[in-house]
Amino acid sequence: MLKPISTPTRELVNLDGVWRFAIDSRAGAEPWTGLLGTPLEAAVPASYNDLFVDPEIRDHVGWVYYQREVRVPRGWGGERVLLRFDAATHAAKVYVDDELAGEHVGGYLPFDVDITDRVAAGERFRLTVAVSGDLSNETIPPGKIEVGMNGKKKQTYFHDFYNYAGLARSVWLHSEPKTRIADVTVVTGFEGATGSVDWTVVTDGVDEARVRVSLSDAAGAPVATGQGASGSLTVPDVTLWQPGAAYLYELTVELLDEGDSVIDSYPVAVGVRTVEVRGHEFLINGEPFYFTGFGKHEDTAVRGKGHDDAYLVHDFQLMEWSGANSFRTSHYPYAEEVLDFADRHGIVVVDETAAVGLNMGVVGGMTGTPPFPTFSEQYAGAATQAAHAEHLRALITRDKNHASVVMWCIANEPASNEEGALEYFTPLVELARELDPTRPLTYAMVMFATFKNDRIIELFDVVSLNRYYGWYIATGDLATAETYLHGDIQGWIDRTGKPIMMTEYGADTQPGVHSVWDQAWTEEYQVDYLAMNHRVFDRFPQFIGEQVWNFADFATSNGIHRVEGNKKGVFTRDRKPKAAAWALRARWRGLEGRKPGSDGSTGAGSGEVTGADGADG
């Protein structure tokens, strides 16, 4: 599914703004049969939960309704007319005037609704969008809904970030030619100074021989041309896309009629680069790469998970200031604008699905003992696996051409230590490799899954550890935590021989709290905690990266262990630096140009660690 953009053959109208808004319990009669009877209005894009002061809206379980009037441009007669939702979390029904025009299940990823036969050029229509934030064991991410003693429904979910819902990304009305380019896939490579750009084009309603492609450099100068639905272009004196030094070519794909007139045209940004795992190294363009950066969240005050370009720019500025070269899209796909920005600025991305919470052991708390098996029809069964596969398919289809995306993360903290994990994940890994054989695969591993009991690591290319020694285990005892962490990493090295990185490590920190002792929640403890981890990382040449949990404080569900959300950010929720931000800046800027662990030192200590409550940090 191609992102709507303005081209010589395509147009779009942005529908962001303030829409009428109501929750289903107050909307009265079915709202798509007329105007919503509501005094409320909601911003799009934004999660709706924090916009209002009414707790019934914030914690609503069920459907909410957005509505506005839309006019189709006069010049769109004879074109395909579509509605594009960059995301509707977590399910949507779309109504044009009084009729259902389309449905979609799955938040965080886009979908189109073709309304060509329902609207007319130059005319207006009433657009109503019903959105549900409900989660069940058949959704990704999963959850459950229960009815409380007061008779009201309550949403329970097994991930540690707030279940924001609504139209959190942009909505578009866009046109396409009826004979069109349906999809483009680009794969790049190079040998010496010569690059290659392989293309595959899927068309709708035209002979595939009528495809023409042309590649231009960053200045717009032509580099190469080709014909056909697939082929390969040679790029002499290629300039590679590199971490910290982005360079983008542009591949223009055109469909031609018999007279060589252009029927449809679509450009794709292309960064020529390669990604490979070789032994214990992660290679970008054949050179070892060491990840420095963060797990992040799409999370800001008032907007919730609403995409905001100002925060996008500022967050990337703070990552650059800190010396970070990468981030993980924990724990769901981010807005495509984020990946476009990463492409243009040379930031490396580990792209993650919304499969977070596939772990009943987390419900068991410190014991790690699940109330029932995770991989069962009670929880993550066949329906969950099917939803996971569909989400994975949509993610790779959307993000496959982004040069910044170097690895797919299939899930965050699944119960990979439980029976049934291998059967659940094997077909998903096979699907991911079929959809994209060019990128490595990983999953972020929960603390319950050790080098002795994990059942699925052999399916994957990179060992990604979420570990909280010194926080959830050995709290305040960094000497013991260091021993645990060293033994853990050594155990994974001995078992796998694969590259190993830390995808989560962190300590909750209340800004402004200080102590001369190793006291949890202080800014000093967060600095010392990170320094302990870094000492251990630097002992292992097999270690390929560190992504701190978290970039910034973020909203979570209600819980006595969370005061105004998760405070593991090195920046506050409004992006003020804690002491740890300065410490990371000093370390990461000092790492530029060298790889930690190059001295090959290891040290002693190995053993299994059991019991932790580290899910989602």
Side-chain angles (χ1 to χ4, degrees), residues 291-333:
F291 294 82
T292 59
F294 302 96
K296 289 184 90 273
H297 266 298
E298 291 184 311
D299 176 275
T300 56
V302 182
R303 300 168 185 81
K305 294 200 177 305
H307 176 72
D308 185 289
D309 283 338
Y311 271 98
L312 167 66
V313 172
H314 189 56
D315 283 0
F316 272 72
Q317 283 285 297
L318 291 177
M319 285 192 287
E320 180 181 353
W321 173 88
S322 71
N325 60 24
S326 65
F327 65 91
R328 175 169 63 116
T329 70
S330 44
H331 298 299
Y332 38 82

Side-chain angles (χ1 to χ4, degrees), residues 108 159-162 169 292-300 304-320 322 324-335 337-339 341-342 347-353 356 412 444 466 468 502-505 546-556 566 568-573 575 584 588 616-617:
Y108 306 117
H159 54 265
D160 185 33
F161 56 93
Y162 192 81
R169 298 179 190 160
T292 59
F294 302 96
K296 289 184 90 273
H297 266 298
E298 291 184 311
D299 176 275
T300 56
K305 294 200 177 305
H307 176 72
D308 185 289
D309 283 338
Y311 271 98
L312 167 66
V313 172
H314 189 56
D315 283 0
F316 272 72
Q317 283 285 297
L318 291 177
M319 285 192 287
E320 180 181 353
S322 71
N325 60 24
S326 65
F327 65 91
R328 175 169 63 116
T329 70
S330 44
H331 298 299
Y332 38 82
Y334 291 178
E337 290 87 347
V338 177
L339 299 183
F341 202 89
I347 298 295
V348 170
V349 179
V350 178
D351 206 356
E352 185 166 286
T353 73
V356 53
N412 180 74
N466 292 0
Y468 292 93
M502 193 69 73
T503 39
E504 289 187 23
Y505 64 113
E546 54 200 61
Q547 292 185 328
V548 173
W549 191 257
N550 191 284
F551 171 75
D553 297 342
F554 57 92
T556 61
N566 191 305
K568 291 189 182 67
V570 302
F571 297 96
T572 63
R573 200 181 188 203
R575 278 42 176 186
L584 285 173
W588 287 346
D616 302 310

Side-chain angles (χ1 to χ4, degrees), residues 290 485 502 505 533-540 543 546:
Y290 189 87
L485 178 59
M502 193 69 73
Y505 64 113
N533 278 267
H534 299 153
R535 284 195 301 273
V536 177
F537 300 165
D538 290 352
R539 297 170 190 161
F540 297 101
F543 207 80
E546 54 200 61

Side-chain angles (χ1 to χ4, degrees), residues 357-424:
L358 293 172
N359 199 321
M360 281 289 98
V362 175
V363 181
M366 290 297 293
T367 67
T369 302
F372 49 79
T374 297
F375 301 104
S376 63
E377 291 308 308
Q378 291 171 282
Y379 193 57
T384 315
Q385 187 187 54
H388 196 162
E390 184 57 33
H391 179 89
L392 184 60
R393 187 177 290 108
L395 170 67
I396 293 177
T397 298
R398 190 195 74 164
D399 294 348
K400 62 189 173 183
N401 292 329
H402 287 285
S404 58
V405 175
V406 300
M407 184 159 55
W408 305 113
C409 186
I410 301 298
N412 180 74
E413 299 192 346
S416 59
N417 56 306
E418 284 191 41
E419 186 177 348
L422 185 63
E423 292 77 9
Y424 180 92

Side-chain angles (χ1 to χ4, degrees), residues 165-177:
L167 295 177
R169 298 179 190 160
S170 290
V171 181
W172 307 86
L173 184 73
H174 65 108
S175 70
E176 298 176 346

